[in-house]
Amino acid sequence: QINKIIRPSLNRKHVLFVTTKMFSHKSLVNGMRDTASAGPQKFTQEFIDKQVEEFEVGKRHLANMMEEDPETFTQEDIDRSIAYLFPSGLFEKRARPFMKHPEEIFPKQTAIQWDAKGRPFHFLFYTGKQSYYSLLHDVYEKILAIERHQDKMRNKGLFTSDTKQILLTGSRWLLKEEIEENLVENISDQDYMRLIQLMEKLLSMPYCSLEKEFILKFRKQLEVQSSKYEIPALQYDPQGVAFSVADGRRKTAKASITLRDSGSGNITINGRNYLHYFPVLQNRVQLMFPLLFVGMMGRFDIEGSVEGSGHSAQAGALRLAISRALLSFVSEGEVEKMRQAGLLTADPRIRERKKP
Amino acid sequence: MNLHKLSSRLCPTVSKFRHLHIQSSGQQLEAVAVETESTEPNPLSVFRTSEQNPTYHSERHTGQYYTLPPAHIQKLFPHGLPPRFQLQIKTFNEGCVMVRPPVLELISYLKKADYSKPPLRYILYGDIGTGKSMSLSHALHYCYTQGWLIVHIPDAHLWVKNCKELLPSSSRPSRFDQPIQASQWLKNFKITNEGFLSKIKTTQQYVWTKRESTEKGQPLGVLVDQGVNRMKSSSDVVGAVLRELRLQAGGTTEGEGAFKLAVAVDGVNALWGKTSLKKEDRTMVCWCKPEELTLIHNLRKMMKNNWSGGAILTALSQTGSLFKPQSAYLPSELLGEEGFDNMEPFVPVSVSNYNEKEFESCYLYYLERNWLQHPHSRSEEGKKELIFLSNKNPSILERLCAFL
């Protein structure tokens, strides 16, 4: 987050190309034009070059506006600055304003593939899927290269099977749609499977680490669970009774509880018994659910304080707080089950603004 | 060991059944002769007892249900039982009441009290839904089986709110009458105490209108009929009836007409609270105060302990009360300053939620009556859920089980 007050300087005209919508593969409806038969909208290379130039200029303007160094202004910095200058409360992240490189915005298009005389540039043009087949050729070329390397090592007597293996955990093969996007042409399911099989064959060879970069181009990193919640530590009070403290939130309600072991199922909220605080049955069911799920119903004493919002949101906040506090009393497998049951997920729904 | 041999010498035939009871408690010797308890260790009726008479209920019966005889229900409680309990009687075809420690305490006080002195005032207080009205009904059943005369006001709050007709009193200018409530109450009083109506005689003459009056020495029944037939003067009749009962409760004058008087009021905090009845006074409309209502005024006189030969059993009630917060349940909070001063000194009896044994027997009772239809409610898990959701509060548990 940006901590300094930004005063946009008034002596220069800052023009930024900020868009809110990715261009989709639909042609612009313009009067009587036949929209169905016209294919994806074509942008000329000059147009795209101009866009790239404008983007670079705009990036420098933005950096100057934010009083940062234009040379080392990365895409992350751009995103941060745009979010600061154009704050948006829309829930859909894709609808918010953004400024990205034109290559990410405009779909990739194939350039003209034959020369003035009508002779195609690529030798595989007449296969119909020239980039796909050329990719297959490349992969096979690499397989052959590795086999030759293997023979060389065997001849020298230095052949070992336990060479450095490529780490594949935490990543997956690119999907068919993603490969289509890279190759800028359509491929069928069988083609995609053939490609993956060939890559697997490449991976199965001992010396595949030589082509590590090439293979990783076709693997996509899976997102790491970034917002992972830490299990609160189990504390012991002077009598030796275990207890844990946790918080929970729902809408605008904030709850904080202390879960004590070797109790008898008493629950006190804001100093009052839970039967008096939540006369509605549904709220008490919400409180009961985490304990019921884990099967430790009469074991704990709960002391909680909650404020804000309405009774239902307070019950939801307490429920989340109880589930989080239970994590420290429960085994790993149970934690996973609780996560799948949705007990540990904070409910993201909040009140939507009024629209005319 | 000695006890066992002693009891087997006393009643050799039933010694093998008594064996069970001796192991549980050592007080069997005097109880053996009097009790008519079922001795089969039937697991289903662990929560039931066949001891119908509240006189003999003791700590051994806590948590167990006893059946109210239908004849008694009709006579004693034409209007007296809480409405949800009346529905339950209709559904289950029997009225079963649980024996609980507060009532046993109350009954033991009633047994030990000296009735030549002014009456003791007992107040049943507790959280909402813990069973104050039910306990009052149980204690009243005891009084009825002992042959007392019952004056039962099922809910005093009904007399301070939602009255359709409010007439200026015929006898006193600044008071208001409630003819419908008064005549209704007199009808029910008649049903409950039919036996006494012919025995008690009026001590003075009461003049109702120019043409109607009740002479001295007439049986009480005539007075009551006067009130039932003539709606206009029914509130004053109520006052007269209460006065007569107060004067004659000790039974000092006639040896035959000696009776003990039990005054039972549920929702006694209504007597000193506010009303929601409006009076049209000149051009302004303002709220009635409770003492401006004839019925309330007479009832307050009843609450004083300037008579003898009976007991005053009362229960507080927040649910029907006007202008009182829901968290208030102590006598000082609900009665207010004036009420507390009037009722002092009193014997407070606290009623609380079920403990585990009582909850267990309530649960078994519902199971036996096939009231818990959901298959999950029969399992241990289901029982734990019920405990949690109701926090062992009797009324919440009853409402919860109603839709299971």
Side-chain angles (χ1 to χ4, degrees):
Chain A
Q1 269 298 331
I2 298 148
N3 298 328
K4 45 194 176 181
I5 303 168
I6 302 297
R7 273 168 269 104
S9 38
L10 297 166
N11 42 7
R12 263 186 274 177
K13 240 200 203 168
H14 298 289
V15 177
L16 297 173
F17 177 67
V18 173
T19 175
T20 55
K21 203 170 157 187
M22 292 283 236
F23 283 97
S24 51
H25 288 265
K26 285 189 214 134
S27 52
L28 292 162
V29 176
N30 209 347
M32 308 284 261
R33 238 177 251 174
D34 188 4
T35 52
S37 59
Q41 190 177 16
K42 303 260 186 263
F43 302 103
T44 50
Q45 192 56 38
E46 316 154 345
F47 174 76
I48 295 201
D49 289 336
K50 199 160 76 88
Q51 295 295 316
V52 173
E53 206 188 293
E54 275 183 17
F55 173 77
E56 294 299 327
V57 170
K59 201 166 94 165
R60 297 185 76 89
H61 276 314
L62 185 62
N64 283 327
M65 255 201 274
M66 301 302 288
E67 290 170 13
E68 293 192 24
D69 186 11
E71 307 298 331
T72 56
F73 207 59
T74 59
Q75 183 62 42
E76 276 173 12
D77 296 326
I78 297 180
D79 293 335
R80 199 168 29 93
S81 320
I82 296 291
Y84 174 78
L85 289 169
F86 302 96
S88 160
L90 298 173
F91 292 135
E92 179 66 64
K93 300 275 196 288
R94 289 178 294 180
R96 295 182 180 178
F98 63 87
M99 183 167 148
K100 284 204 179 346
H101 195 86
E103 262 176 31
E104 294 166 42
I105 302 180
F106 296 101
K108 281 192 203 161
Q109 283 169 339
T110 51
I112 302 288
Q113 285 154 348
W114 47 84
D115 57 10
K117 290 193 185 152
R119 192 185 163 175
F121 293 125
H122 205 280
F123 72 103
L124 288 173
F125 176 76
Y126 287 110
T127 59
K129 302 181 236 186
Q130 62 178 47
S131 345
Y132 169 71
Y133 284 109
S134 75
L135 178 63
L136 287 187
H137 276 284
D138 287 335
V139 175
Y140 193 62
E141 188 69 53
K142 299 211 189 294
I143 291 176
L144 290 176
I146 289 180
E147 276 181 6
R148 265 180 263 132
H149 182 78
Q150 265 180 343
D151 293 334
K152 253 198 273 177
M153 300 302 270
R154 268 206 202 98
N155 290 341
K156 282 191 202 164
L158 296 168
F159 179 76
T160 44
S161 335
D162 53 343
T163 46
K164 208 168 50 161
Q165 293 297 317
I166 305 176
L167 281 169
L168 292 174
T169 53
S171 63
R172 58 166 172 86
W173 289 119
L174 286 184
L175 294 173
K176 177 168 161 272
E177 286 76 21
E178 284 159 351
I179 292 194
E180 277 184 359
E181 227 181 311
N182 283 344
L183 301 176
V184 201
E185 61 189 20
N186 295 331
I187 53 177
S188 69
D189 291 328
Q190 290 88 352
D191 295 336
Y192 173 70
M193 274 172 46
R194 181 85 186 86
L195 175 64
I196 298 296
Q197 279 165 9
L198 213 56
M199 300 295 286
E200 296 276 320
K201 179 163 180 214
L202 182 60
L203 278 173
S204 67
M205 309 175 85
Y207 285 95
C208 56
S209 49
L210 297 169
E211 304 298 338
K212 185 173 170 184
E213 271 176 47
F214 179 73
I215 293 173
L216 285 179
K217 262 196 267 177
F218 292 91
R219 298 281 300 192
K220 185 161 177 189
Q221 289 295 329
L222 290 167
E223 283 137 25
V224 183
Q225 255 182 321
S226 47
S227 57
K228 205 161 173 163
Y229 181 73
E230 272 177 26
I231 301 177
L234 200 58
Q235 298 161 53
Y236 289 90
D237 72 352
Q239 275 86 31
V241 173
F243 72 96
S244 71
V245 182
D247 295 327
R249 264 201 267 192
R250 168 92 211 271
K251 275 196 202 173
T252 333
K254 290 191 195 112
S256 153
I257 63 155
T258 321
L259 199 73
R260 271 172 228 277
D261 206 350
S262 47
S264 54
N266 303 331
I267 304 188
T268 318
I269 303 178
N270 284 358
R272 296 167 65 188
N273 195 17
Y274 70 111
L275 200 63
H276 292 154
Y277 197 77
F278 287 130
V280 179
L281 182 70
Q282 184 190 347
N283 300 334
R284 274 176 276 144
V285 173
Q286 290 289 300
L287 283 187
M288 182 178 77
F289 181 45
L291 299 170
L292 184 68
F293 188 79
V294 179
M296 301 180 178
M297 287 266 290
R299 189 171 141 187
F300 296 104
D301 272 339
I302 303 179
E303 193 189 308
S305 65
V306 66
E307 54 176 7
S309 209
H311 59 95
S312 217
Q314 284 183 346
L318 279 167
R319 179 182 118 163
L320 183 60
I322 293 176
S323 326
R324 284 185 178 166
L326 276 175
L327 288 177
S328 45
F329 287 98
V330 127
S331 63
E332 273 296 318
E334 288 281 326
V335 167
E336 196 47 48
K337 272 200 223 168
M338 279 173 82
R339 185 164 297 135
Q340 285 176 3
L343 276 170
L344 302 174
T345 336
D347 204 330
R349 296 179 286 176
I350 57 174
R351 215 196 76 185
E352 214 173 273
R353 62 152 261 219
K354 166 87 184 76
K355 299 149 199 140
Chain B
M1 291 299 289
N2 292 329
L3 282 172
H4 176 68
K5 285 186 194 153
L6 198 57
S7 75
S8 51
R9 257 187 283 147
L10 280 174
C11 355
T13 48
V14 295
S15 60
K16 52 183 193 299
F17 296 115
R18 294 300 165 207
H19 189 65
L20 289 162
H21 297 286
I22 282 158
Q23 277 168 353
S24 55
S25 71
Q27 295 157 359
Q28 294 305 303
L29 292 173
E30 62 270 349
V32 156
V34 175
E35 297 265 313
T36 53
E37 195 170 277
S38 65
T39 50
E40 296 122 22
N42 195 349
L44 284 176
S45 30
V46 151
F47 57 91
R48 269 196 204 268
T49 170
S50 53
E51 187 54 65
Q52 305 285 6
N53 199 340
T55 326
Y56 301 123
H57 285 156
S58 65
E59 283 84 31
R60 203 147 31 86
H61 298 104
T62 41
Q64 291 185 329
Y65 280 87
Y66 84 97
T67 327
L68 284 170
H72 284 190
I73 298 181
Q74 256 184 345
K75 286 217 98 183
L76 175 55
F77 298 120
H79 57 171
L81 293 168
R84 280 200 82 95
F85 186 64
Q86 281 173 356
L87 287 173
Q88 192 177 314
I89 294 178
K90 212 165 134 191
T91 319
F92 292 163
N93 240 354
E94 61 172 5
C96 280
V97 179
M98 196 197 274
V99 177
R100 296 182 74 195
V103 194
L104 289 173
E105 198 185 321
L106 194 54
I107 293 182
S108 69
Y109 292 154
L110 288 172
K111 282 183 192 168
K112 289 182 212 159
D114 186 0
Y115 291 109
S116 53
K117 302 231 176 77
L120 280 171
R121 287 183 279 223
Y122 306 95
I123 296 195
L124 285 162
Y125 72 97
D127 231 342
I128 301 178
T130 46
K132 303 182 281 291
S133 304
M134 289 300 293
S135 304
L136 193 66
S137 315
H138 187 175
L140 217 54
H141 187 221
Y142 161 76
C143 298
Y144 185 74
T145 50
Q146 295 287 307
W148 295 26
L149 196 148
I150 310 281
V151 170
H152 182 39
I153 290 110
D155 195 358
H157 292 297
L158 295 174
W159 287 359
V160 296
K161 55 181 182 175
N162 300 339
C163 293
K164 298 265 167 53
E165 271 185 36
L166 200 64
L167 303 174
S169 169
S170 40
S171 48
R172 255 152 273 234
S174 64
R175 293 237 200 101
F176 292 93
D177 270 0
Q178 289 147 304
I180 312 176
Q181 273 82 19
S183 54
Q184 183 72 32
W185 185 79
L186 282 170
K187 278 190 210 139
N188 291 324
F189 177 75
K190 198 166 148 186
I191 298 172
T192 312
N193 299 303
E194 237 161 328
F196 288 99
L197 290 176
S198 44
K199 289 192 202 156
I200 305 173
K201 308 271 187 249
T202 54
T203 49
Q204 68 169 79
Q205 191 205 30
Y206 295 101
V207 180
W208 308 121
T209 58
K210 274 188 233 168
R211 282 172 224 160
E212 286 168 15
S213 67
T214 311
E215 303 303 320
K216 181 174 167 178
Q218 296 253 340
L220 203 63
V222 172
L223 203 58
V224 175
D225 287 328
Q226 167 76 32
V228 172
N229 297 331
R230 292 266 176 264
M231 295 268 269
K232 262 194 96 174
S233 48
S234 44
S235 315
D236 292 321
V237 168
V238 171
V241 163
L242 289 177
R243 187 166 166 276
E244 291 300 319
L245 293 172
R246 258 207 316 275
L247 289 172
Q248 301 184 24
T252 44
T253 47
E254 303 108 56
E256 249 188 34
F259 62 91
K260 290 200 213 140
L261 182 60
V263 180
V265 185
D266 200 349
V268 72
N269 44 327
L271 297 182
W272 291 282
K274 294 192 205 166
T275 62
S276 72
L277 303 168
K278 291 199 185 155
K279 60 179 180 191
E280 314 259 340
D281 216 6
R282 287 153 288 206
T283 45
M284 281 206 309
V285 174
C286 41
W287 300 108
C288 276
K289 291 204 198 98
E291 47 274 6
E292 292 178 7
L293 294 168
T294 330
L295 288 173
I296 305 291
H297 181 85
N298 290 321
L299 206 53
R300 279 198 195 178
K301 280 199 254 178
M302 209 62 189
M303 290 282 124
K304 287 192 213 161
N305 48 1
N306 48 8
W307 46 283
S308 66
I312 305 181
L313 313 159
T314 64
L316 298 176
S317 167
Q318 196 282 329
T319 36
S321 71
L322 294 161
F323 309 109
K324 285 273 185 275
Q326 218 190 32
S327 52
Y329 73 96
L330 294 168
S332 52
E333 291 167 344
L334 282 175
L335 284 172
E337 264 203 52
E338 200 193 329
F340 200 82
D341 293 330
N342 273 314
M343 286 298 280
E344 247 201 333
F346 61 84
V347 178
V349 181
S350 142
V351 185
S352 61
N353 287 335
Y354 284 154
N355 62 19
E356 291 184 9
K357 185 174 165 208
E358 291 171 345
F359 179 86
E360 181 76 38
S361 74
C362 184
Y363 175 72
L364 287 172
Y365 177 62
Y366 285 143
L367 273 184
E368 191 232 8
R369 290 273 109 193
N370 286 332
W371 193 229
L372 296 170
Q373 289 285 316
H374 201 281
H376 187 59
S377 55
R378 288 170 204 268
S379 61
E380 266 303 307
E381 292 293 322
K383 200 166 130 201
K384 281 192 198 164
E385 282 186 40
L386 285 173
I387 296 179
F388 189 101
L389 288 175
S390 63
N391 201 20
K392 301 198 209 105
N393 184 299
S395 80
I396 303 265
L397 178 64
E398 199 256 313
R399 271 161 224 264
L400 194 57
C401 297
F403 55 79
L404 278 178

